[in-house]
Amino acid sequence: ETSVAEGFKDHGLKNDVMKTLLQTPGFIRLADLVGEKLKAVRPLVGIFAHETAQRFQALAEAETLKSFRAEAAEARSAAVAEVAAAAASGSAAALRPVGGGGGGVEGSLEKDPLCQVCM
């Protein structure tokens, strides 16, 4: 959490890089996927109370067995690409390197917003 907090401090507010990331369609889709996965696995918690030899009913639900891995990877890639495009176009001030003289940023996560996003 500290890598996306203002001043990189514990319990800090989200920095501008994170606020920019949170607004991208790819990140919003990723958040939706996490919500879908939570709904899908919620019935599996019942396994701890399942005390019969019969098949556990929650495993009969197709949604429970669905893998979200490919969709999540696609959404992550889309979010990073959207942020990189915004940085390249200069449309997102929060994504401009700190002290970067045009030749890239070296040696510091704090000075490289795109590195913060990828992390």
Side-chain angles (χ1 to χ4, degrees):
E1 281 189 38
T2 58
S3 66
V4 292
E6 288 181 2
F8 300 92
K9 297 180 181 174
D10 284 337
H11 311 293
L13 297 174
K14 301 281 185 256
N15 66 18
D16 290 339
V17 173
M18 186 60 167
K19 289 176 188 173
T20 300
L21 178 63
L22 290 171
Q23 295 174 359
T24 64
F27 196 87
I28 292 168
R29 175 67 184 133
L30 190 56
D32 291 344
L33 283 171
V34 170
E36 289 174 33
K37 185 64 174 177
L38 286 172
K39 287 178 190 172
V41 299
R42 181 168 283 145
L44 296 176
V45 175
I47 190 74
F48 298 109
H50 183 72
E51 297 180 5
T52 71
Q54 296 174 342
R55 180 171 168 82
F56 182 51
Q57 185 59 36
L59 294 177
E61 304 293 326
E63 190 64 25
T64 303
L65 302 176
K66 178 182 177 188
S67 172
F68 289 84
R69 185 171 294 148
E71 292 172 83
E74 185 178 311
R76 261 192 322 272
S77 294
V80 171
E82 290 160 1
V83 170
S89 71
S91 65
L95 300 174
R96 291 193 189 108
V98 177
V105 177
E106 295 180 14
S108 175
L109 173 71
E110 291 87 355
K111 295 180 180 180
D112 190 347
L114 288 178
C115 185
Q116 292 174 36
V117 169
C118 292
M119 190 176 115

